Structures are given as C-alpha cells and as structure tokens.
Amino acid sequence: MEFSKGDSFILKGKEAKIIDVLGEGGQGEVYLVSYNNHHYAFKYYKKTPSEDFIYNLKMNISKGSPSPDFLWPKEMAEFDDDTYGYLMDLRPKNYVSFISYLTGTNRFKNQTTFLNWCIELVKSFKLLHERGYSYQD
C-alpha cells in the first residue's frame, strides 16, 4: 500500500487524512496526518513486521509512554494487506536529531551541556527498561 497527499484511512472509526510526507527510511514512511482534529506523525511500515514486533508495538501502545520525554506510539493502524502503522505526536519545533550530534553536524555548546545530555539519555533508557518496555525502532 502506498499513500499520497489527500489519501485517508479509518482508524478507530475516524478518518485519518494524509497531509504530507515527513520522511522515509528503510522500514517505512512517516506522514503528517490529520486525525480527530489534531496533527500527528503516522509511521507506516513498508513490509509486514514480525508477529513479535507487532505484539511489542501493541504492548507499548497499551502501556503508554514511560515518560513525556519520549515520542511514543499512540494508536495502531492495521490494514487489509497485512501492513501496519501507528500514530504518534509530532516532534517538537525545537527538536534536534540525535544523529546530528553523533555525526558532528551539531555540536554541544560546552562539555557541561554534553555531559548533561549524556546523563539524561542514560536516565531515559534506564526508565524505559526498568518499566519493562522494549523499543525496537
């Protein structure tokens, strides 16, 4: 299944409308969608994930985000052709990619900021795993 601007699908009895493409990667595409009078990111998997992956995704959605600091799946979409996707909040306007720091595209303003960033990252993943979550993206 492919989506284009203006396409729509039904999620929990309500229409989700594709507004634009936000990005694409090896696993799938991410779209800007309008759903229930709000804008969300919709990640759509190109290939059917494994049953274990789908189960884990459903469990993560049912548990909810371990912290407001995580962008987390909110609603699962299942399609007739055995493909899947999910809605999540959009990245905040001030979002800067983790990868941009690893590649040197962005730099920390000083060593203290870098160390604080590292500590917060470790604390976030510690929280994730302490609560029994498994993030597989």
Side-chain angles (χ1 to χ4, degrees):
M1 176 179 294
E2 290 187 24
F3 292 102
S4 299
K5 290 180 187 180
D7 287 350
S8 62
F9 58 93
I10 302 300
L11 183 62
K12 290 197 163 187
K14 296 181 181 176
E15 181 184 54
K17 187 171 184 173
I18 305 291
I19 298 171
D20 206 352
V21 177
L22 294 175
E24 183 176 356
Q27 293 180 327
E29 295 99 18
V30 180
Y31 299 94
L32 174 63
V33 300
S34 177
Y35 174 73
N36 205 21
N37 296 318
H38 291 88
H39 286 133
Y40 294 97
F42 172 64
K43 179 159 187 177
Y44 174 74
Y45 293 97
K46 294 176 187 176
K47 297 179 182 173
T48 303
S50 70
E51 287 183 28
D52 289 340
F53 185 92
I54 294 166
Y55 173 80
N56 183 65
L57 182 57
K58 287 179 178 179
M59 291 303 297
N60 283 347
I61 291 169
S62 70
K63 289 180 189 178
S65 178
S67 160
D69 294 329
F70 285 94
L71 286 175
W72 205 255
K74 291 182 168 293
E75 298 289 345
M76 181 98 166
E78 301 181 45
F79 300 97
D80 292 338
D81 64 352
D82 288 328
T83 55
Y84 295 82
Y86 64 83
L87 287 185
M88 62 189 250
D89 288 328
L90 292 165
R91 292 176 178 162
K93 297 287 183 205
N94 63 347
Y95 175 83
V96 178
S97 169
F98 171 73
I99 300 299
S100 71
Y101 288 100
L102 294 177
T103 60
T105 304
N106 282 312
R107 300 193 185 284
F108 294 97
K109 68 179 181 179
N110 56 45
Q111 190 172 17
T112 301
T113 302
F114 171 67
L115 292 173
N116 285 334
W117 182 82
C118 291
I119 290 167
E120 291 303 316
L121 181 64
V122 169
K123 284 170 45 179
S124 293
F125 278 103
K126 181 177 182 284
L127 174 67
L128 185 89
H129 292 289
E130 281 177 345
R131 295 194 178 169
Y133 288 85
S134 173
Y135 187 75
Q136 302 175 354
D137 197 2

